[in-house]
Amino acid sequence: MKTKLKTAILLTLLIGANLFAQTFTADSKDSRNQAQFISDAPFEKINGLVSGLDAIVMLNPNDITQKPLGKVKVVISNIKTGIELRDEHLRSEMWLNAAKYPYAEFQLTGIKNPSSRSLNDGQKIKCIFVGKFSVHGVTRDIEVPGTLTYFKESEKTKAKMPGNLLVTDAEFNIKLSDYGIKIPDMVVGKVNDEVKVAANFVASDKNASGSNPCGTCGPNKTNAQCNPCGVKKNMKKDNPCNPCAPKKK
């Protein structure tokens, strides 16, 4: 009985930690939300663009450093560089292998050094996003400089979309070799091993499922392992209790 009581208390505390969180979502159908990569090599500069991404961010508006959670997901096959043949090569098994690894993902696990801990209407917050970046089947811990800007719903913001809005900008560099991506010999000098990655999106709390997105997964026996923003490696199907893993189309 004591063990069961301790377990119940622990689960309640874990879920309760996110009771005051506000959840914002962005949908890939909105092409104004974008991700970009830039490869600046000696013989060629490549600009890749993805119009539309899936994102979900869960923050405590009074203190964004308190257990922030989220995920941003980009479809690799949607990357466009302006040259169709180059796009085909990019998606191929030789490069990013979009058939086997269809997504690039960033999973948010923390926020460091914010210029403000609280979300205030119209205020831009500089911070460092802490999390894991995954591409080509490899996941690495990274820290990403970025900004958050919160806008309370108004007649002006409704022209963009309904709900309170969260504008997110982030930019960071990765090395392709760190993610098992080898530059083919035929394009040496045209593709840089170091690539700049950037993302910009506007998310709304309009479609969020209340203050606690895991509210339907209470501390009962059936859903005792509910993790609101975690993805278990051995999970073969989407977790219905996981709002930070956008559903596959």
Side-chain angles (χ1 to χ4, degrees), residues 217-246:
C217 309
N220 54 51
K221 294 181 180 179
T222 303
N223 297 308
Q225 301 304 316
C226 174
N227 181 349
C229 288
V231 179
K232 296 181 180 179
K233 294 181 179 179
N234 61 354
M235 286 177 59
K236 296 182 178 180
K237 297 181 179 180
D238 289 322
N239 180 358
C241 300
N242 183 0
C244 290

Side-chain angles (χ1 to χ4, degrees), residues 64 85 137 140 162 173 182:
I64 62 174
L85 181 60
R140 298 178 69 91
N173 293 330
K182 183 180 179 181

Side-chain angles (χ1 to χ4, degrees), residues 76 79 89-92 94-98 101 135-136 181:
I76 294 295
I79 298 176
H89 290 162
L90 188 69
R91 295 189 293 264
S92 71
M94 188 183 305
W95 282 59
L96 296 180
N97 198 350
Y101 309 110
V135 68
H136 199 246
I181 302 170

Side-chain angles (χ1 to χ4, degrees), residues 9 12 31 36 61 77 80 85 91 93 127 132 135 137 140 153 162 181 187 198 204 241 243 247:
I9 292 173
T12 300
S31 60
Q36 182 182 26
S77 61
K80 305 296 181 185
L85 181 60
R91 295 189 293 264
E93 184 177 348
C127 61
K132 299 178 181 294
V135 68
R140 298 178 69 91
E153 186 176 43
I181 302 170
V187 293
S204 170
C241 300
K247 303 296 183 182

Side-chain angles (χ1 to χ4, degrees), residues 6-17:
K6 289 181 179 179
T7 302
I9 292 173
L10 177 60
L11 288 169
T12 300
L13 289 174
L14 287 173
I15 293 175

Side-chain angles (χ1 to χ4, degrees), residues 165-248:
L165 306 183
L166 186 70
V167 181
T168 302
D169 285 280
E171 187 176 294
F172 58 101
N173 293 330
I174 64 168
K175 287 187 176 181
L176 298 178
S177 55
D178 287 343
Y179 293 86
I181 302 170
K182 183 180 179 181
I183 299 174
D185 293 338
M186 64 180 180
V187 293
V188 170
K190 294 184 178 181
V191 178
N192 200 335
D193 182 46
E194 186 168 280
V195 172
K196 180 184 290 185
V197 180
N200 169 265
F201 62 88
V202 181
S204 170
D205 65 357
K206 182 67 175 180
N207 297 320
S209 57
S211 60
N212 179 10
C214 212
T216 58
C217 309
N220 54 51
K221 294 181 180 179
T222 303
N223 297 308
Q225 301 304 316
C226 174
N227 181 349
C229 288
V231 179
K232 296 181 180 179
K233 294 181 179 179
N234 61 354
M235 286 177 59
K236 296 182 178 180
K237 297 181 179 180
D238 289 322
N239 180 358
C241 300
N242 183 0
C244 290
K247 303 296 183 182
K248 295 180 179 179

